[in-house]
Amino acid sequence: MRDITKSTRAVTGLALAAGLVAAVSIGIAGGASADPASTEGTMTNANQPPKGARATVQVSPNPTTHRGQEVTITGHCGGGTGLKSVLGGFPGRPALENIRILESGPDRFVAKANVAGNIGNGVGPVFVDCGGEAGVTLLVTHV
């Protein structure tokens, strides 16, 4: 059996995370329209994400450098009603702990969280639910 180097595992993990984020984003946005004559769920402007995926989210600092580090999650809801929840990582494998929503307004939201104590080096998604609009970004960890 061939040994896989750390860099190969990191590149493979990054590719899988990017593919998963894209798949989840498409799933959250509703995917392609079922009716070919309909414009719902399709992009009308190359610079505008589809309805349902218009929230923006940033994490700072990114990349993070140690377990337990506090990060700030900011963004806007892109037409959604306001920040409802933040998910860092995946169910059963959280990348963020102790998530606290400080401001939940539709035009600007702020949340704080701590990098999970069991996190290693890698990349993971940070999702936001903004009541009708969702957003995702990647959190990079170097611990």
Side-chain angles (χ1 to χ4, degrees), residues 90-140:
F90 302 100
R93 304 192 115 229
L96 297 176
E97 307 175 313
N98 191 25
I99 299 169
R100 305 162 313 277
I101 297 174
L102 305 176
E103 294 178 38
S104 61
D107 296 327
R108 180 179 186 275
F109 62 78
V110 177
K112 298 271 187 177
N114 298 93
V115 175
N118 63 341
I119 205 77
N121 294 332
V123 177
V126 175
F127 301 99
V128 295
D129 172 4
C130 277
E133 298 290 340
V136 64
T137 193
L138 293 175
L139 173 64
V140 180

Side-chain angles (χ1 to χ4, degrees), residues 1-88:
M1 185 170 189
R2 193 182 83 156
D3 286 337
I4 298 176
T5 65
K6 286 184 179 184
S7 61
T8 302
R9 284 194 307 246
V11 169
T12 302
L14 180 59
L16 289 172
L20 182 60
V21 167
V24 169
S25 296
I26 290 168
I28 290 171
S33 174
D35 179 2
S38 170
T39 59
E40 175 132 9
T42 61
M43 293 183 69
T44 58
N45 179 339
N47 295 324
Q48 182 77 7
K51 184 143 179 63
R54 293 184 179 169
T56 64
V57 59
Q58 300 86 35
V59 178
S60 178
N62 194 6
T64 60
T65 57
H66 60 273
R67 295 175 180 102
Q69 181 176 4
E70 185 175 76
V71 295
T72 303
I73 300 120
T74 59
H76 68 79
C77 288
T81 59
L83 184 62
K84 306 296 181 207
S85 66
V86 176
L87 172 67

